[in-house]
Amino acid sequence: MALTESNMLPIGTKAPDFILPDTVSGQKVSLDELKSNVATVVMFICNHCKYVKHINGELVKIVEKFQEKGVSFIGISSNDIENFPEDAPEEMKKKAAELGYTFPYLYDESQEVAKAYDAACTPDFYIFDKDLKLVYRGRMDGSSPGNGVPITGTDLRGALRAVVAGDFVSEIQYPSMGCNIKWKG
């Protein structure tokens, strides 16, 4: 598993639309159905990545806090399940229940959504404003497995607080780092 940095999609980019199956509800859903008039967070995550496992507990807390403020969260897994069966839709549904995910956990089988977002790693976070314009992309915080930095969610929380308040989101943003998305052959 190669440590990979996110690609840092340009600020101001309009969120690419999609229709994907939600592994939790079993329904196909679109970005238009899931977006918020406050902010929408698109997260590329997966079950098997040690970097996602490392932040899952704090992620659930952040989601809970900011859903109360009207922010929509969308988890997407785009990994090749032939080589990584732990990331298959039925396993995603189990993991969402186990971790208490209160957001849709979508499966991007074609990997077209990951490509549209220029996603490179898991976890990879994108915050869009009420007009679905990108205001933040990158990491949750500076913690990663084994580096001794506490998991706080500082970067993601700060950006979410700013966008919820209608304030300017700092341009000082750091790439996320994690497992590379497992692209199909």
Side-chain angles (χ1 to χ4, degrees), residues 27-173:
Q27 303 296 309
K28 282 195 172 193
V29 292
S30 68
L31 174 61
D32 195 54
E33 292 170 289
L34 299 174
K35 71 182 180 185
S36 161
N37 62 0
V38 176
T40 302
V41 181
V42 175
M43 311 171 288
F44 287 87
I45 58 177
C46 69
N47 289 354
H48 88 273
C49 173
K50 71 178 182 178
Y51 296 90
V52 176
K53 289 177 180 179
H54 179 72
I55 57 103
N56 259 327
E58 188 64 22
L59 176 61
V60 167
K61 292 176 191 172
I62 291 170
V63 169
E64 183 178 295
K65 177 180 174 89
F66 286 94
Q67 279 179 332
E68 292 172 0
K69 299 176 186 302
V71 176
S72 176
F73 289 81
I74 304 163
I76 301 175
S77 179
S78 301
N79 281 349
D80 171 13
I81 63 169
E82 188 174 313
N83 292 308
F84 295 87
E86 187 178 340
D87 294 331
E90 57 275 6
E91 297 302 318
M92 292 169 61
K93 181 176 182 170
K94 289 179 195 171
K95 186 61 72 174
E98 173 190 321
L99 295 170
Y101 284 175
T102 56
F103 52 84
Y105 193 12
L106 313 181
Y107 177 52
D108 177 22
E109 181 177 13
S110 72
Q111 302 184 316
E112 291 303 315
V113 177
K115 290 174 185 170
Y117 281 77
D118 202 17
C121 63
T122 56
D124 211 349
F125 297 95
Y126 300 80
I127 302 174
F128 297 91
D129 67 12
K130 63 181 173 43
D131 300 316
L132 290 179
K133 298 286 187 191
L134 186 67
V135 295
Y136 179 85
R137 74 285 195 245
R139 70 185 190 181
M140 191 169 93
D141 61 28
S143 182
S144 65
N147 76 353
V149 175
I151 304 168
T152 61
T154 301
D155 297 38
L156 190 62
R157 284 178 188 276
L160 283 167
R161 276 194 296 272
V163 76
V164 165
D167 293 338
F168 176 75
V169 177
S170 173
E171 290 180 6
I172 300 170
Q173 300 178 13

Side-chain angles (χ1 to χ4, degrees), residues 4-10 117-121 124 126 137 175-176:
T4 302
E5 284 192 356
S6 55
N7 288 325
M8 304 299 278
L9 197 63
Y117 281 77
D118 202 17
C121 63
D124 211 349
Y126 300 80
R137 74 285 195 245
S176 188

